[in-house]
Amino acid sequence: MQADKENGRKRQLPPEYIDYESKFIERLTQLRQLQRVSCREMSLALGQSEGYINKIENHKALPSMQIFFYICSYLGVTPEEFFAFLPEQSKTQNFCDRFARLPEEKQDHILLLLEDME
C-alpha cells in the first residue's frame, strides 16, 4: 500500500502496479556497479556534489532530465537501454550489458559455451 498524499490515508494499488521510481534506482545502482565506479566518483564526474548519486540511490532525490541524459552517457547506455528493467527483460538485459563490456576473447568463450548447450 502507498500513502495517499492528499489526506495521508493508505490506498490499495492495482496488482499490476510497478514502482518505477524504485526500479529506476535499482537500475542506476546496477549499471553503476557494472562500471565498478563509486557513488562519489560518478557524482563528481557528472559535475555534481560528491553525495549526489548516493542521495538518488537512497531515495532522497531524483535527477533532472538533463542530468539523466548525462548519467546515461556516463554509463555508456542509451535512455532506452537504461529503462530495460521490466522483470521479463532484466536477466536478458543484464546479460547483454555485461557481455558487451567483456573483451572479445571472453565473448568468444561464452559464444562457444552457448553453441555447446544448443
Side-chain angles (χ1 to χ4, degrees), residues 29-95:
T29 303
Q30 174 192 44
L31 292 171
R32 180 184 60 76
Q33 289 174 343
L34 280 172
Q35 293 289 328
R36 295 186 175 128
V37 63
S38 70
C39 289
R40 181 182 184 279
E41 184 180 351
M42 184 173 170
S43 296
L44 294 175
L46 294 170
Q48 302 299 311
S49 67
E50 63 183 41
Y52 182 71
I53 295 297
N54 193 285
K55 283 182 183 179
I56 294 172
E57 290 185 4
N58 286 305
H59 297 256
K60 294 182 179 170
L62 286 173
S64 68
M65 189 62 95
Q66 182 179 17
I67 298 296
F68 169 69
F69 289 130
Y70 292 155
I71 287 170
C72 289
S73 178
Y74 179 82
L75 295 171
V77 297
T78 66
E80 180 181 24
E81 291 168 333
F82 185 96
F83 284 110
F85 55 63
L86 294 176
E88 62 273 4
Q89 297 176 351
S90 63
K91 284 184 181 178
T92 302
Q93 187 62 46
N94 184 25
F95 176 82

